[in-house]
Amino acid sequence: MPHTYKVVVIEDEEKIARMIKDYLEKEGMTIFLAGDGTRGMELIKRYSPDLLILDLMLPDLDGLEICRRLRREENIPIIMLTARSQETDRVVGLEMGADDYMVKPFSLAELAARIRAVMRRAGEQGIGSKGEGSNKDEAKILSRGELQIDVENRSVKKGDREVELTPTEFKILSLMARYPGRVFSRLQLLESCLGEAYSGYERSIDTHISNLRKKIEEDVANPSYIVTVFGFGYKFMNK
Ligand code: CA
């Protein structure tokens, strides 16, 4: 049986948007269309969709800006649509937190298949509140490389060794390790792990990251767990 996912599509080319809507509705999904980023953000707020299909080039806010804004507060899965020439943008799109991308022109059947794959992964990782399998099975112990992060008991081991972390370091590590490969901005980490009192002090995150690295990395100059994404923030490597 098809899942009745709610999907917001932000795409300014009306013909493409229509085709996507018609096809995915036949697949049993509910589709909301927006022709620009501002409208798209409104639809996301209003309908809390399960997934976002996001064109990179839009007349007002571009797709990257939308990704960046959404990633501050939401874990909604995002599939980005890009034109063939935008090779670097599409890499940046993934770095910014998109979950997958499709290069135009693409097949609608392929898009539907990618949506199901992304939703399946989101369900496994406990992303979003409505995906199948969602938060119920959220892992209590995250195993990443040599690290074992016990989210419930707030303890971390590297191999057999207990790693002593401050509460803030623990929050940063457990948040990032839950979503390997996703880029977190300093602001995002600050707001999630330190609270609003620290807004405006985004660089204070760097100090915590640097301390965290001393405790978990073999070589702090060449980190293998938490890497810097220049111009954006940090990400936890897929292990
Ligand atoms: Ca476009």
Side-chain angles (χ1 to χ4, degrees):
M1 214 189 83
H3 288 284
T4 52
Y5 295 131
K6 273 189 288 180
V7 179
V8 165
V9 179
I10 309 181
E11 164 62 88
D12 58 322
E13 282 166 82
E14 214 182 319
K15 219 176 101 190
I16 297 179
R18 281 277 142 207
M19 270 167 30
I20 293 174
K21 181 173 162 73
D22 290 348
Y23 189 90
L24 295 181
E25 279 180 348
K26 279 190 204 119
E27 294 278 300
M29 302 180 202
T30 305
I31 309 300
F32 304 100
L33 289 185
D36 60 61
T38 312
R39 171 89 181 127
M41 295 294 275
E42 280 169 22
L43 292 182
I44 291 166
K45 285 224 159 56
R46 188 177 319 157
Y47 297 108
S48 342
D50 300 297
L51 182 126
L52 172 64
I53 296 176
L54 178 60
D55 184 32
L56 185 62
M57 300 296 280
L58 292 165
D60 54 347
L61 297 170
D62 72 15
L64 291 180
E65 179 56 27
I66 292 172
C67 247
R68 199 173 296 140
R69 289 191 189 183
L70 284 175
R71 282 294 173 251
R72 274 183 210 155
E73 46 201 68
E74 310 213 29
N75 284 322
I76 178 175
I78 299 173
I79 295 180
M80 210 138 198
L81 306 179
T82 74
R84 204 169 277 286
S85 59
Q86 297 158 339
E87 191 79 30
T88 44
D89 292 344
R90 125 187 147 195
V91 173
V92 173
L94 290 177
E95 296 275 283
M96 284 313 297
D99 298 273
D100 203 352
Y101 62 85
M102 302 217 60
V103 180
K104 294 175 184 176
F106 51 83
S107 105
L108 292 164
E110 174 74 14
L111 177 63
R114 298 280 188 96
I115 290 173
R116 296 193 194 294
V118 165
M119 291 309 296
R120 210 162 39 238
R121 288 208 302 268
E124 282 161 9
Q125 291 183 20
I127 296 175
S129 52
K130 297 162 296 298
E132 33 178 338
S134 64
N135 290 328
K136 265 177 272 164
D137 306 319
E138 194 160 289
K140 296 195 172 69
I141 295 189
L142 305 171
S143 243
R144 305 282 186 261
E146 279 190 86
L147 292 179
Q148 297 273 339
I149 303 160
D150 186 332
V151 181
E152 237 175 18
N153 296 317
R154 299 192 151 257
S155 62
V156 177
K157 274 186 164 178
K158 188 176 179 195
D160 295 330
R161 181 173 61 89
E162 196 82 31
V163 183
E164 301 283 344
L165 298 180
T166 67
T168 301
E169 288 161 9
F170 183 84
K171 277 190 197 165
I172 294 172
L173 179 66
S174 54
L175 172 67
M176 294 185 73
R178 189 170 287 286
Y179 304 106
R182 175 167 297 175
V183 177
F184 289 87
S185 68
R186 287 181 176 82
L187 184 63
Q188 218 169 12
L189 291 172
L190 195 76
E191 286 175 351
S192 316
C193 303
L194 283 165
E196 288 188 357
Y198 287 82
S199 57
Y201 298 93
E202 287 174 44
R203 291 284 161 179
S204 63
I205 279 295
D206 296 355
T207 312
H208 293 288
I209 296 272
S210 150
N211 292 336
L212 195 48
R213 280 177 174 157
K214 285 177 199 151
K215 297 176 181 178
I216 62 170
E217 301 285 0
E218 289 301 317
D219 176 5
V220 288
N222 238 326
S224 73
Y225 288 96
I226 297 179
V227 302
T228 304
V229 180
F230 290 100
F232 295 114
Y234 297 100
K235 76 172 169 185
F236 193 92
M237 295 299 281
N238 270 305
K239 287 279 182 182

